[in-house]
Amino acid sequence: RSVSFSPDGSFLAGGGGTDDMHGLMTRKASTREMKTIVWNVAPVADECRYLGSIVVDDILHAVAFSPTGRLLAVGGESRTIATLLVDRDFEQASELACAAGVRC
């Protein structure tokens, strides 16, 4: 439900998922995939490529790159915000508690 370009424009991240209950349930069933997908983008379509996805436990509502482009923050209904290291294949650097969850 959210997309974000890195500051230098080389990455595009999108977060979301599917939820048949329209947000009325937490900890979604294992049959539903909640994830952030990351692409390397370029001005020429043939040079764009899918880099992978980061699967999470619950629906994501927000993804955003830091101003330096070194971190990607993702947050949603899991009541956490995870920061991921861009230069380490989006390895999780930290997880911050967010009692209300993240809605955008």
Side-chain angles (χ1 to χ4, degrees), residues 12-82:
L12 175 64
T18 56
D19 175 14
D20 291 340
M21 299 302 291
H22 306 289
L24 299 176
M25 294 176 57
T26 58
R27 297 288 173 208
K28 307 304 182 250
S30 61
T31 58
R32 300 287 175 220
E33 235 179 14
M34 316 301 162
K35 58 187 169 184
T36 297
I37 297 176
V38 181
W39 295 271
N40 184 282
V41 293
V44 178
D46 290 344
E47 295 175 8
C48 296
R49 63 187 171 96
Y50 168 79
L51 295 178
S53 62
I54 302 128
V55 178
V56 295
D57 291 337
D58 220 331
I59 290 179
L60 292 171
H61 292 292
V63 296
F65 284 92
S66 66
T68 64
R70 294 176 60 199
L71 296 171
L72 175 66
V74 298
E77 295 180 15
S78 65
R79 297 185 180 152
T80 61
I81 299 169

